[in-house]
Amino acid sequence: MIISNKKGARDPEGETILRDLVHKSGYGEIKSIRAGKLLSVTVEAEDAQSAARLVRKMCDDLRIYNPAAHSIAVEAGRPSA
Amino acid sequence: MIISNKKGARDPEGETILRDLVHKSGYGEIKSIRAGKLLSVTVEAEDAQSAARLVRKMCDDLRIYNPAAHSIAVEAGRPSA
């Protein structure tokens, strides 16, 4: 599950990395950096779909992100063993 | 680009979210959470391969991650406009 600042919203963390680290070090080819948070969640579920549904519900329920400022993307697959 | 704690290494952030938030709130189906950092980097490059190469070089060069503790995964594609 990926939590990122909404498109269009500012992203101070990414902007700072880009301006104060990357560009100052001469990497002019880098045009933008957006920071986000990844949570890899292992779930016991019938199938990928219900796993994704559960994770989405948990994120909303426990306020793991702020729906006013962030968007989340949930992607389900089998655990990579 | 995703920065995560190496497999096998402990992940205090994920462990804390799992134990003190998720399990305490009754989500027993969640078996593990690993936290990581996502940086979406837009690069000016000839092709996806050289974009990935540049990002990897920049990460090593600027010590954006700690190779002793973290692993990175770089995945390249066209910007989603």
Side-chain angles (χ1 to χ4, degrees):
Chain A
M1 191 248 314
I2 286 167
I3 305 172
S4 48
N5 287 320
K6 281 190 174 164
K7 271 192 181 159
R10 289 198 52 186
D11 174 19
E13 184 179 348
E15 288 169 21
T16 304
I17 297 173
L18 182 66
R19 190 184 53 227
D20 293 341
L21 178 62
V22 173
H23 282 172
K24 279 202 181 145
S25 308
Y27 283 90
E29 314 91 309
I30 312 286
K31 295 304 171 193
S32 120
I33 295 187
R34 304 276 297 175
K37 183 94 219 158
L38 172 85
L39 294 180
S40 299
V41 184
T42 311
V43 184
E44 218 169 69
E46 289 290 308
D47 50 41
Q49 215 180 9
S50 47
R53 210 178 312 122
L54 178 72
V55 168
R56 198 171 278 278
K57 180 176 175 300
M58 175 193 78
C59 289
D60 287 334
D61 200 19
L62 304 183
R63 295 186 160 269
I64 280 182
Y65 71 110
N66 172 359
H70 307 138
S71 57
I72 64 167
V74 179
E75 202 180 284
R78 309 224 123 247
S80 58
Chain B
M1 190 247 317
I2 285 167
I3 304 172
S4 47
N5 287 320
K6 280 190 173 166
K7 272 194 180 156
R10 292 197 52 186
D11 174 20
E13 185 180 348
E15 288 169 21
T16 304
I17 297 173
L18 182 67
R19 191 184 52 226
D20 293 340
L21 178 63
V22 173
H23 282 172
K24 279 201 182 145
S25 308
Y27 284 89
E29 314 92 311
I30 312 285
K31 294 305 171 192
S32 119
I33 296 188
R34 305 275 298 175
K37 183 95 218 158
L38 171 84
L39 294 179
S40 300
V41 184
T42 312
V43 184
E44 218 168 67
E46 289 290 308
D47 50 40
Q49 214 180 10
S50 48
R53 210 180 309 124
L54 178 72
V55 168
R56 196 170 279 277
K57 181 176 175 298
M58 177 193 77
C59 289
D60 288 333
D61 200 20
L62 305 183
R63 295 187 159 270
I64 278 180
Y65 70 110
N66 173 0
H70 307 138
S71 58
I72 63 167
V74 179
E75 200 179 286
R78 310 224 123 249
S80 57

